[in-house]
């Protein structure tokens, strides 16, 4: 049996999961950030990740539908605002579509999610289902990958701007917004988890939830790497970059 | 088999359900609005209805967790804002607590929901579950009781101010806000239902959902009337008004 951790020991354990399992360590991200992908491979990344982005408000609303405290719901509601915006064309999903637009993908095709990899779909669905079905503590703990995202984002933006002539500051606007949103959100979620995980069982559940979420992010890059880099077997029905000669 | 209705015929049928089944027709509401209840009976009403109020954002978030269109989520999000407010002490739930405060109920007791009737709990839970599990069309159609609420609210506010010296404009602030929020919300939901219910089966599902919701509201008043008016059998564990000598 794991012993009871102090809140700061728990935080250290959570952060260690990020240090070992966050998807900035994945070979696909190293290629992406290093400017070593083709335009078609970057398109595939943005297309697939759109599905993840589009499902984030669904998981946040599912989480809120089980929060009895209005104060926590108000706090969590900001995530809905961040992703859906206040009006048409605003918010994180719209900014992600600006990215796919900028990469030359047809918007209707992106929004249809017809071309995404099955591996993307299954991973994202698993995440939404996890948040819907597990305890509130686990649902909130699974959001803690945001603790690790500011580092990857700065790296990604500078790397992509330097590495790709088809990428501009404007198309990467999504990430600038996340630089302030993610720390605000993860501060709240971390404080919640440190406060609410007060038995060894609940601490282990929170740690496992964060590990699960790292797996969700990691496996999406596995699927991209397998389909579009090495060996490069695109599954039937999935997006085929134009330069591969089949579009 | 029901024939396919035009959108305006569907609206007429929806409105007829309200005319026949909305809870303004319930004897308890007539007593409440007519100033014919004791303070203890009004307390019981406000205490029980708090549970309904507190669960509304949970059902709205559950609904949003299944809406794929950000534009509809943005529209529905206003309901979360209305109920939870922008800050501590704001929003519909806080305004309802101002009402229970004004009626002399202990706030911690109200929020605990320990004293509510089982009939209240079961009806409200059935509503949240319905919205969580049924089709989005049914979930949205079940909100259409708001089409009928402005009439009952004006009646309620004037009737209660005239009838009870323990009620003030201030304690009834909840209802003033609803006078503008409810029509805005029900306009949107009605347009959605008229647009999306385009087969006889879906039209019937929408009509049934509104009937179900009328039952949810009605049965809460049945439980109150039975427990606190006639015959006045308060179930074990439920709130007992002080003037009945057991508080």
């Amino acid at each position: 049996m794991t012993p009871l951790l102090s809140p700061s020991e728990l935080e250290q354990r959570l952060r260690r999961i990020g240090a070992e399992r966050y998807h900035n360590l994945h070979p696909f991200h190293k290629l992406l950030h290093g400017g070593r992908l083709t335009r078609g491979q970057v398109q595939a990344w943005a297309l697939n990740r759109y599905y993840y982005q589009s499902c984030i408000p669904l998981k946040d609303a599912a989480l809120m539908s089980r929060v009895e405290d209005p104060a926590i719901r108000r706090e969590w509601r900001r995530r809905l605002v961040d992703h859906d915006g206040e009006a048409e064309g605003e918010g994180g999903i719209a900014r992600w579509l600006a990215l796919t637009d900028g990469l030359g993908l047809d918007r209707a095709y992106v929004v249809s999610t017809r071309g995404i990899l099955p591996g993307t779909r299954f991973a994202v669905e698993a995440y939404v289902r996890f948040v819907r079905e597990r305890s509130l503590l686990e649902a909130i703990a699974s959001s803690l990958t945001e603790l690790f995202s500011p580092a990857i984002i700065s790296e990604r933006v500078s790397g992509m701007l330097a590495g790709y002539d088809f990428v501009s500051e404007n198309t990467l606007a999504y990430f600038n917004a996340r630089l302030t949103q993610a720390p605000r959100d993860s501060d709240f979620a971390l404080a919640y988890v440190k406060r609410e995980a007060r038995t060894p069982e609940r601490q282990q559940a929170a740690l496992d939830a964060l590990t699960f979420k790292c797996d969700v992010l990691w496996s999406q890059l596995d699927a991209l790497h397998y389909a579009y880099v090495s060996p490069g077997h695109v599954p039937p029905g999935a997006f085929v970059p134009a330069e591969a000669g089949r579009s």
Side-chain angles (χ1 to χ4, degrees), chain A:
Chain A
M1 188 64 214
T2 352
L4 182 67
L5 306 170
S6 71
S8 71
E9 286 169 336
L10 177 62
E11 177 172 345
Q12 282 172 30
R13 289 279 302 276
L14 290 163
R15 290 189 182 276
R16 202 195 308 156
I17 291 172
E20 292 171 358
R21 291 172 165 269
Y22 192 57
H23 63 172
N24 65 322
L25 302 170
H26 195 284
F28 189 89
H29 260 183
K30 295 191 188 298
L31 297 173
L32 176 68
H33 300 165
R36 285 178 288 142
L37 296 180
T38 64
R39 183 161 175 272
Q41 290 168 324
V42 177
Q43 285 177 325
W45 166 74
L47 174 77
N48 276 272
R49 168 113 179 212
Y50 171 78
Y51 182 61
Y52 176 74
Q53 298 299 137
S54 75
C55 288
I56 295 297
L58 304 183
K59 76 92 188 162
D60 284 321
L63 192 151
M64 289 175 67
S65 79
R66 294 154 55 216
V67 174
E68 290 179 6
D69 181 346
I72 298 178
R73 282 199 304 268
R74 270 195 302 274
E75 183 64 39
W76 214 268
R77 199 174 73 211
R78 298 203 282 191
R79 296 168 181 250
L80 297 181
V81 177
D82 290 343
H83 285 271
D84 287 336
E86 297 289 359
E88 195 64 39
E90 299 177 4
I93 295 175
R95 280 192 290 271
W96 198 270
L97 288 170
L99 170 61
T100 57
D101 287 351
L103 292 170
L105 290 163
D106 178 66
R107 189 176 273 226
Y109 177 72
V110 174
V111 171
S112 78
T113 74
R114 274 189 295 115
I116 68 170
L117 297 166
T120 303
R121 192 175 299 282
F122 300 153
V124 172
E125 285 176 354
Y127 182 35
V128 176
R129 207 161 48 234
F130 183 94
V131 170
R132 195 168 273 158
E133 294 173 3
R134 295 300 189 95
S135 71
L136 196 56
L137 174 68
E138 289 167 292
I140 291 179
S142 72
S143 77
L144 286 176
T145 44
E146 283 165 341
L147 284 171
F148 321 124
S149 75
I152 201 180
I153 288 178
S154 352
E155 193 182 307
R156 180 181 296 151
V157 170
S158 57
M160 289 182 74
L161 285 174
Y164 304 115
D165 55 10
F166 50 86
V167 160
S168 71
E169 289 242 24
N170 206 32
T171 54
L172 297 181
Y174 171 83
F175 299 108
N176 290 326
R178 293 306 299 160
L179 282 174
T180 51
Q181 292 163 352
R184 181 204 68 201
D185 291 346
S186 62
D187 286 352
F188 177 84
L190 180 61
Y192 179 93
V193 169
K194 288 166 75 175
R195 190 173 68 242
E196 299 293 329
R198 276 175 301 188
T199 66
E201 294 77 13
R202 282 171 67 78
Q203 293 184 336
Q204 191 59 50
L207 293 163
D208 290 347
L210 182 56
T211 301
F212 161 80
K213 172 66 176 302
C214 287
D215 289 348
V216 165
L217 297 174
W218 190 276
S219 75
Q220 290 178 67
L221 296 186
D222 280 354
L224 278 167
H225 197 263
Y226 178 83
Y228 297 105
V229 179
S230 169
H233 287 170
V234 178
F239 170 70
V240 178
E243 57 256 52
R246 300 151 55 201
S247 92

